[in-house]
């Protein structure tokens, strides 16, 4: 039974989540979360009594083990306390995306715990939607290894807690990269529908995420992938979203919706090639929240996003949507964590594409949508 909801949304955050530096010059700079939080504050969102602000906690070892192999968890623990693991490369840890670093266990456990707190708040009926912005960036982390900045897959861990109690969950991942780690966690079950819209693996890490990856065994038909070409912009992206996500989530009729809100789709993102704006992203969030309103609740996590201004604005805009709160049109002048921001929306957005490029990008998207429909819609009675 649901308790009376006194808040429209929850934000799970504390400054500690912005402190762990993976390595000097690493593109994933958790300080982006501090910049985001300051913008939420400057915009007045955090003064609203409708917003529940919750502290994260560290995930316990048992919780992390819900989605990860014991040897891997142990290796991260040893490395995180300054120890040496000679075979760390087998666990995906080494120079590059997932460098060994002191404190890495505690940092990843705190992120996983943040997403667990968000999940608990939604599951208990305390709020209809909860946002764990530090989460989601770990969506590449696998059962027995780190990958693509991901150590402990907070989304998979949190979804496991729901699935283990018999709930069915739809996971929609709008990060620019394929949500391969979460897909892998639930590849063989029909209890979780995973949908990932992303820049095609032809051009971007991790290389997977083709339409043909549809799940296996009981999970056949419950993994959905919609790859897109570089330079895909708002209007086309939203059209692809509308043609795939609402029908599939609607047909699946989940108990809970879980959304990964990576903003590395942004046209200024230094690592990727899609060309969304903060307003296109926010429109997607709005549509996802509408879908979530038809089930028991929505858990939202962050994700990729490597342009500091885009991250701060997009996730502030997302929280405003969740809390049904208004934002000023301009970024408040006293906000100086990221210099040079004028409006929340991108004005101007990316340049219009040359006609032939636009045509190719559109054809690529239409092919993906047609393939998804041909391969999966029948299985869901669509
Ligand atoms: Zn990403």
């Amino acid at each position: 039974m649901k308790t009376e909801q006194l808040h429209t949304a929850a934000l799970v955050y504390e400054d500690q989540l912005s402190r762990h530096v993976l390595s000097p010059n690493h593109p994933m700079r958790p300080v982006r979360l501090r910049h985001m939080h300051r913008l939420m504050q400057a915009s007045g969102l955090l003064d609203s009594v409708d917003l529940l602000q919750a502290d994260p906690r560290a995930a316990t070892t048992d919780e992390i083990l819900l989605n990860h192999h014991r040897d891997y968890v142990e290796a991260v623990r040893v490395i995180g306390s300054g120890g040496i693991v000679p075979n760390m490369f087998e666990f995906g840890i080494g120079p590059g995306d997932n460098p060994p670093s002191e404190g890495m266990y505690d940092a990843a456990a705190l992120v996983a715990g943040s997403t667990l707190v968000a999940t608990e708040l939604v599951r208990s009926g305390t709020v209809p939607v909860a946002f764990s912005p530090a989460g989601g960036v770990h969506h590449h982390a696998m059962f027995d290894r780190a990958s693509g900045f991901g150590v402990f897959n907070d989304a998979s861990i949190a979804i496991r807690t729901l699935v283990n109690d018999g709930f069915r969950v739809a996971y929609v991942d709008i990060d620019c990269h394929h949500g391969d780690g979460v897909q892998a966690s639930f590849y063989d079950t029909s209890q979780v529908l995973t949908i990932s819209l992303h820049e095609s693996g032809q051009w971007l890490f991790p290389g997977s995420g083709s339409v043909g990856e549809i799940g296996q065994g009981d999970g056949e038909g419950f993994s959905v992938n919609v790859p897109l070409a570089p330079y895909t912009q708002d209007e086309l992206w939203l059209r692809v979203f509308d043609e795939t996500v609402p029908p599939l989530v609607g047909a699946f009729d989940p108990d809970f919706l879980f959304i990964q809100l990576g903003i590395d789709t942004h046209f200024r993102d230094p690592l990727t090639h899609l060309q969304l704006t903060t307003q296109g992203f926010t429109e997607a969030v709005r549509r996802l929240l509408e879908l979530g309103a038809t089930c028991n609740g929505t858990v939202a996590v962050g994700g990729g996003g490597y342009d500091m201004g885009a991250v701060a604005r997009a996730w502030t805009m997302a929280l405003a949507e969740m809390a049904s709160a208004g934002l000023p049109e301009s970024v408040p002048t006293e906000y100086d964590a990221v210099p040079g921001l004028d409006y929340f929306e991108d004005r101007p957005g990316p340049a219009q594409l040359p006609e032939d490029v636009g045509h190719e990008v559109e054809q690529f998207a239409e092919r993906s949508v047609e393939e998804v429909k041909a391969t999966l819609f029948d299985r869901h009675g669509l």
Side-chain angles (χ1 to χ4, degrees):
M1 200 166 77
K2 285 194 173 187
T3 51
E4 194 189 348
Q5 291 179 339
L6 299 171
H7 303 278
T8 53
L11 173 69
V12 185
Y13 181 75
E14 71 168 8
D15 188 60
Q16 188 59 34
L17 289 161
S18 72
R19 298 284 172 185
H20 180 70
V21 175
L22 286 78
S23 63
N25 304 320
H26 197 287
M28 213 299 271
R29 297 170 58 211
V31 71
R32 68 198 182 128
L33 296 172
R34 197 180 318 152
H35 298 336
M36 168 209 75
H37 195 248
R38 294 222 171 121
L39 185 55
M40 290 171 173
Q41 200 151 39
S43 311
L45 284 183
L46 305 185
D47 301 329
S48 165
V49 290
D50 294 337
L51 180 72
L52 175 64
Q53 295 176 63
D55 284 333
R57 62 174 175 84
T60 65
T61 306
D62 282 346
E63 286 168 336
I64 294 166
L65 288 171
L66 288 172
N67 191 69
H68 293 286
H69 193 283
R70 190 172 289 278
D71 293 348
Y72 167 59
V73 176
E74 195 46 38
V76 175
R77 189 196 302 281
V78 171
I79 292 165
S81 355
I84 289 169
V85 173
N87 61 337
M88 67 176 182
F89 292 99
E90 290 170 25
F91 298 115
I93 300 168
D97 281 0
N98 291 92
S101 67
E102 215 164 316
M104 72 184 288
Y105 182 97
D106 292 341
L110 189 61
V111 172
S114 300
T115 301
L116 284 166
V117 169
T119 304
E120 286 152 12
L121 287 169
V122 170
R123 176 189 175 144
S124 64
T126 309
V127 286
V129 51
F131 187 22
S132 163
V137 75
H138 293 269
H139 68 158
H140 300 301
M142 294 292 175
F143 176 64
D144 55 1
R145 68 187 158 84
S147 175
F149 316 160
V151 179
F152 298 145
N153 197 319
D154 60 291
S156 289
I157 291 167
I159 293 170
R160 287 265 184 222
T161 65
L162 295 169
V163 167
N164 287 351
D165 287 333
F167 294 113
R168 296 164 70 255
V169 180
Y171 170 83
V172 182
D173 184 320
I174 64 168
D175 195 276
C176 204
H177 300 89
H178 175 220
D180 58 340
V182 181
Q183 173 179 291
S185 294
F186 305 105
Y187 207 57
D188 58 2
T189 174
S190 60
Q191 248 182 297
V192 181
L193 173 73
T194 64
I195 305 180
S196 178
L197 270 69
H198 47 258
E199 181 176 341
S200 166
Q202 282 178 251
W203 295 283
L204 192 68
F205 179 89
S208 53
S210 65
V211 177
E213 296 167 31
I214 61 164
Q216 66 188 15
D218 286 347
E220 197 176 301
F222 293 87
S223 290
V224 183
N225 288 289
V226 193
L228 297 164
Y231 310 119
T232 301
Q233 299 186 347
D234 287 350
E235 197 192 325
L236 178 61
W237 191 100
L238 287 166
R239 182 156 31 113
V240 168
F241 175 95
D242 284 342
E243 289 203 47
T244 52
V245 178
L248 285 164
V249 172
F252 183 67
D253 191 21
D255 296 304
F256 293 98
L257 180 64
F258 205 104
I259 54 181
Q260 197 270 19
L261 304 179
I263 179 60
D264 44 7
T265 48
H266 192 265
F267 71 103
R268 288 213 192 88
D269 195 277
L271 303 189
T272 63
H273 319 100
L274 297 192
Q275 293 197 329
L276 268 60
T277 63
T278 55
Q279 58 267 37
F281 165 85
T282 303
E283 186 52 48
V285 172
R286 196 172 296 140
R287 293 174 195 193
L288 285 165
L289 293 173
E290 274 172 24
L291 280 177
T294 65
C295 57
N296 291 343
T298 305
V299 182
V301 292
Y306 308 100
D307 177 86
M308 294 288 135
V311 170
R313 289 178 300 137
W315 291 349
T316 298
M317 292 162 84
L319 182 66
E321 287 298 325
M322 293 174 203
S324 306
L327 278 180
E329 189 181 351
S330 312
V331 171
T333 46
E334 72 268 22
Y335 179 76
D336 58 4
V338 183
L341 301 181
D342 296 324
Y343 300 102
F344 283 94
E345 297 191 347
D346 285 299
R347 300 183 194 168
Q352 197 178 353
L353 299 173
E355 206 175 316
D356 54 332
V357 177
H359 186 65
E360 254 183 78
V361 171
E362 190 172 359
Q363 279 194 320
F364 192 97
E366 282 168 0
R367 256 197 319 272
S368 286
V369 169
E370 284 318 308
E371 267 185 72
V372 167
K373 286 185 174 172
T375 319
L376 292 165
F377 271 32
D378 262 6
R379 296 167 192 259
H380 294 275
L382 294 164

